[in-house]
Amino acid sequence: MRVPNVDRCTDRRHIMPARGAQTKPMAAVSLPYPPIEPLRSGMLAVDALHTLYWEESGNPHGVPVVLLHGGPGSGTTPQHRQFFDPAFYRIVLFDQRGAGRSTPMGETRDNTTALLVADMERLRMLLEIDHWLVFGGSWGSTLALAYAQAHAQHCRAIVLRGVFLCTPAEIDWFLHGMGHFFPQAQADLLEGIDASERHALLRAYSRRLFGDDAARRLQAARAWNRYESRCLHLLPHADEPQDAEADAHALAVARLEAHYFLHAGFLEPDQLLRDVGRLHGIPATIVQGRYDVICPPITAWRLQQAWPGCQLQLVDAAGHSAFDPGIQAALIGAMDRYRDLGHFGPAAGA
């Protein structure tokens, strides 16, 4: 598999990469690591309602890395382990509140960004990890930034993909703007929504997703997820299956995304840009698809401009998905570069 236009910097001196976006052709392709199984896993009760699934794989004595999945609500998959060299990294995956194998699935009560950040700290302490590399994409980039700004002293490095700051403008774009590029997907999202409600799709869909009619909830969740999945990749992909398991996942994702969008991510206005100075001294890489319609590159650009020392890596032949070949190769390449530095040193603020 050949992937054009992915930066492949291997200079060991570049612990703090130069400011600016990188679009140089790479010399070699970074392929996924082979599938692996967890070494151990468990369920962590974080309060009386929520219990989180977590797992570890790779090298139990290696450099810890925690992956933050997107959504909110999508959960982790076995393929997420394959971004990391299992001989070097101690790979920590977990499903956030209401997502994946965490219980109860799709639950929005007691589900806020601050609580997710606190959950990460509980998991870090449970696993007796002092410092870890934080790796997150899409909504996972939002949570990664919120966590790192609250606990910079525990972050060795940060790798982000498809940056999303959960601002009202980004949320409006998701629901009302992506139709400029995917008009049929937008038209299908609007189908069944009264003309009087179409100017405020988030409210219209929330009424259906959180209403009492189970059939209407599922119909809305399917439409929401189909819309997002059709805008996810650079090239078209098949629609998601509609079996019972997929329906449960669709309900969880749609309800949790709407929940967080309704509350602007439970963040103050421009909080993640405002507090980016707290990340000074932490090595960081942003991998961004140039044709990412879900999270347009301007957001990653704004973040990088406010964050000296952070490298923005634009991947030309890619959309939003972490599994678009160019994005996948760039993420693996970024993790391999941190591995090849030979050391990580203390976390910022330590």
Side-chain angles (χ1 to χ4, degrees), residues 45-344:
V46 291
D47 61 20
L49 179 60
H50 290 278
T51 300
L52 308 187
Y53 170 82
W54 63 268
E55 66 173 55
E56 283 191 311
S57 58
N59 182 350
H61 305 293
V63 171
V65 55
V66 61
L67 181 142
L68 308 181
H69 65 71
S74 65
T76 57
T77 70
Q79 289 75 27
H80 284 135
R81 305 170 197 143
Q82 295 178 252
F83 286 109
F84 315 105
D85 180 350
F88 183 82
Y89 287 109
R90 179 184 174 188
I91 305 161
V92 178
L93 306 186
F94 77 99
D95 293 334
Q96 298 156 27
R97 294 185 181 216
R101 285 158 285 187
S102 294
T103 60
M105 189 176 189
E107 181 58 69
T108 59
R109 291 174 296 168
D110 298 329
N111 201 328
T112 69
T113 302
L115 288 171
L116 299 186
V117 168
D119 292 346
M120 290 180 62
E121 273 296 275
R122 291 192 66 168
L123 180 60
R124 184 187 63 78
M125 291 185 282
L126 173 72
L127 300 179
E128 300 181 324
I129 292 171
D130 291 327
H131 314 116
W132 52 10
L133 191 151
V134 180
F135 179 107
S138 196
W139 161 256
S141 74
T142 318
L143 182 56
L145 289 166
Y147 173 83
Q149 289 175 7
H151 300 284
Q153 71 274 21
H154 296 302
C155 299
R156 290 179 179 269
I158 301 170
V159 174
L160 306 177
R161 185 266 311 167
V163 171
F164 180 62
L165 302 181
C166 213
T167 62
E170 291 168 283
I171 294 167
D172 183 75
W173 169 263
F174 176 84
L175 289 162
H176 296 276
M178 294 197 304
H180 291 291
F181 292 89
F182 293 93
Q184 185 60 60
Q186 178 84 58
D188 292 344
L189 182 70
L190 294 172
E191 188 175 348
I193 304 296
D194 294 340
S196 62
E197 298 180 276
R198 292 182 177 183
H199 70 286
L201 278 176
L202 180 56
R203 292 290 176 184
Y205 264 89
S206 295
R207 281 191 287 271
R208 290 157 175 78
L209 291 168
F210 298 106
D212 295 330
D213 187 328
R216 202 181 192 203
R217 287 198 303 268
L218 182 56
Q219 182 183 34
R222 285 175 172 171
W224 181 290
N225 280 267
R226 193 175 300 116
Y227 170 65
E228 185 170 3
S229 66
R230 290 167 71 183
C231 302
L232 190 65
H233 299 276
L234 179 65
L235 299 176
H237 278 57
D239 288 343
E240 298 292 327
Q242 294 185 6
D243 56 22
E245 183 177 350
D247 283 343
H249 175 81
L251 277 166
V253 172
R255 286 166 61 89
L256 283 167
E257 287 188 352
H259 169 68
Y260 274 84
F261 289 179
L262 283 168
H263 295 90
F266 298 92
L267 299 166
E268 297 173 7
D270 272 333
Q271 176 182 327
L272 299 179
L273 275 182
R274 180 197 69 199
D275 294 342
V276 75
R278 298 179 183 179
L279 307 180
H280 178 71
I282 303 176
T285 300
I286 299 170
V287 171
Q288 178 70 42
R290 188 179 294 280
Y291 302 107
D292 185 339
V293 172
I294 292 179
C295 297
I298 185 61
T299 305
W301 175 259
R302 289 177 64 212
L303 178 63
Q304 187 274 330
Q305 291 294 295
W307 190 356
C310 173
Q311 180 190 32
L312 171 59
Q313 193 172 340
L314 285 170
V315 182
D316 284 340
H320 181 71
S321 173
F323 299 102
D324 269 1
I327 298 291
Q328 183 173 256
L331 288 170
I332 294 168
M335 294 304 301
D336 287 352
R337 288 196 294 274
Y338 285 118
R339 176 201 64 196
D340 292 342
L341 292 175
H343 72 283
F344 274 77

